[in-house]
Amino acid sequence: MPWIQAYAPIADSAGLSAAVASIPLVVLFVCLAVLRMQVSRAAIAALAAALALAVLCWGMPAGLAAVAAAQGAAFGLFPVFFIVLATLFLFNITVRGGQFEVIRASLAGVTSDRRIQALLIAFCFGAFAEGAAGFGAPVAIAGATLVGLGFRPFYAAGICLVANTAPVAFGTIGIPIVAMAGVIGLNDADLMKLSATVGHQLPFISLILPAYMVLIMAGPRRTLEVLPAVVTCGATFAACQFAVASYLGPYLPDILASIAAMAALLVLLRFWQPRTLFRFDHDLPAGDGGHGHTAGQVLRAWLPYLALTAIVLLWGAAPVKAVLNRSTVMVPVPGLDNAIARIPSAAAGGGRDAGPVPIPAKFKLDYLASGGSAVFIAAILSAAICGLGAREALRTLGRTIRDMRYPALAIASVLALAYVMNASGM
């Protein structure tokens, strides 16, 4: 007989049980925000709290709790961390090959107006860095670029953090959406629905965020001076984000929307310039705004990410996906598959007389159909585009794996925490 989940084990009260069930999340937040612990250690502490509560308060057999944690950790490593690793591998290849520096310099040299620089670098380029790398890259890279242009460091970081509100939900090739879908057991069709739902909400933020960012920089009057740029940037990003999230899925909204917004802003600047130049009080005289790279060099710098876009789109095409899915293996989790049962809720069509329903526990091994495989292939192509040999590409991969060992532990622990809370009924 399967173990049956309990939903009000604390004094037969749903409210008290919900309060106790929140303890692992409170532990996580306190460890991060108050004790300033390393993320991986904080996640392990929260996981330990969840395991203890699941066994001692929810009455879950310890063996089931341990296997549920193991399944969550495995999902955290594949496909979630695999996508992250492949994405950062591609990013590091473009950095090692010098292509990312060309992208950065070409954008930084477009204009001397601080408002337009913020739109291009903090908003558009920051969104691109969020989609292409995530994990702090938007603030680290876009912020450093603004500092190099003359922004004060703390000011630059603040502007980039505000700008990052728009793309973060689809960061690192859609990892937040992919991870959420895996935790709550969504199939590919439901993953698309989840992506579309987020894509129907977030564009409202994306639409107004460029105006808000410039407003806190320069005030209302100076914001109106660049209204064409603000509207072009926000409207293009929001429309593209809506379309990609709704019809192509969660992997490319940030990358395609940021490229579209950058392109639209650059086209606008060929026909329109602000009447007055906005500079800071501490600024040196403005230069000519050049970047010293030819059009061919700039195009070559963008090729790795154009290749990424093309391959991810190809992976999502129905005929290709159907072929790739033939290699997908659904592996029943030993000791957990149908070993737990839930009581259907009235909202789901159940009632007081509804019997417990066993919960399947299967690990989806889609080693070819995974989005991480598409990104990894794009990374290998990018190594050739950037002129990196096989040995240098392997070294870059090794460094990426080494640098990501603690984030990998954090991801695995957080997903294990989510699986334990799901399996126990918490």
Side-chain angles (χ1 to χ4, degrees):
M1 292 295 292
W3 175 74
I4 300 174
Q5 291 178 338
Y7 305 123
I10 311 299
D12 201 28
S13 167
L16 286 176
S17 299
V20 174
S22 71
I23 289 176
L25 304 182
V26 173
V27 169
L28 181 64
F29 296 148
V30 169
C31 288
L32 290 174
V34 179
L35 302 180
R36 304 298 177 94
M37 290 174 60
Q38 190 179 42
V39 178
S40 57
R41 293 180 179 178
I44 291 173
L47 172 60
L51 287 168
L53 289 173
V55 174
L56 299 177
C57 297
W58 267 256
M60 186 180 190
L64 288 181
V67 177
Q71 184 190 7
F75 175 73
L77 295 176
F78 184 90
V80 175
F81 179 70
F82 179 55
I83 297 175
V84 172
L85 181 66
T87 304
L88 291 176
F89 177 40
L90 186 150
F91 170 75
N92 287 337
I93 282 175
T94 62
V95 172
R96 184 68 179 171
Q99 309 309 309
F100 204 83
E101 174 60 25
V102 175
I103 294 174
R104 186 201 65 79
S106 64
L107 292 175
V110 168
T111 178
S112 298
D113 190 286
R114 297 306 194 186
R115 298 163 296 184
I116 307 299
Q117 287 176 343
L119 290 173
L120 266 176
I121 305 299
F123 185 78
C124 297
F125 187 52
F128 176 77
E130 178 65 51
F135 283 80
V139 177
I141 297 172
T145 302
L146 290 179
V147 170
L149 291 173
F151 283 67
R152 298 291 194 196
F154 190 80
Y155 189 94
I159 292 296
C160 290
L161 284 168
V162 171
N164 195 235
T165 308
V168 70
F170 294 104
T172 320
I173 313 292
I175 276 298
I177 307 300
V178 173
M180 179 185 289
V183 168
I184 59 181
L186 300 184
N187 57 28
D188 289 344
D190 290 332
L191 172 63
M192 283 295 300
K193 291 180 182 177
L194 177 60
S195 173
T197 300
V198 178
H200 293 168
Q201 300 172 18
L202 200 55
F204 291 103
I205 303 296
S206 303
L207 182 64
I208 64 174
L209 198 62
Y212 175 69
M213 185 181 66
V214 176
L215 181 67
I216 61 178
M217 279 184 63
R221 184 176 64 84
R222 305 305 297 268
T223 299
L224 289 176
E225 293 176 355
V226 292
L227 189 61
V230 166
V231 172
T232 298
C233 190
T236 304
F237 190 96
C240 192
Q241 186 182 58
F242 173 90
V244 176
S246 300
Y247 302 110
L248 297 180
Y251 299 107
L252 293 174
D254 282 353
I255 289 180
L256 291 181
S258 60
I259 291 176
M262 281 187 274
L265 198 52
L266 291 174
V267 170
L268 174 69
L269 291 174
R270 293 182 66 90
F271 303 98
W272 169 89
Q273 291 289 335
R275 292 184 178 179
T276 58
L277 190 67
F278 178 76
R279 304 279 291 172
F280 297 131
D281 294 339
H282 62 269
D283 278 338
L284 298 174
D288 60 5
H291 53 76
H293 296 291
T294 66
Q297 289 173 323
V298 174
L299 176 61
R300 185 178 177 221
W302 281 101
L303 279 180
Y305 293 101
L306 297 178
L308 169 66
T309 301
I311 294 174
V312 171
L313 289 176
L314 179 65
W315 244 241
V320 176
K321 197 171 186 65
V323 173
L324 295 174
N325 279 335
R326 293 175 188 171
S327 64
T328 297
V329 180
M330 301 298 292
V331 182
V333 179
L336 190 63
D337 188 35
N338 293 319
I340 299 174
R342 67 161 55 99
I343 305 297
S345 67
R352 292 183 178 275
D353 299 327
V357 178
I359 304 172
K362 293 180 170 59
F363 184 78
K364 185 179 180 181
L365 188 60
D366 53 344
Y367 53 92
L368 287 182
S370 168
S373 299
V375 180
F376 199 81
I377 290 173
I380 294 173
L381 289 176
S382 298
I385 293 171
C386 297
L388 269 66
R391 181 176 298 179
E392 186 60 33
L394 287 175
R395 286 176 183 162
T396 303
L397 177 60
R399 284 192 292 268
T400 304
I401 294 173
R402 185 179 66 249
D403 292 343
M404 291 299 293
R405 60 190 184 278
Y406 291 119
L409 180 59
I411 291 171
S413 300
V414 168
L415 269 297
L417 164 67
Y419 270 66
V420 169
M421 294 185 73
N422 269 352
S424 65
M426 296 171 68

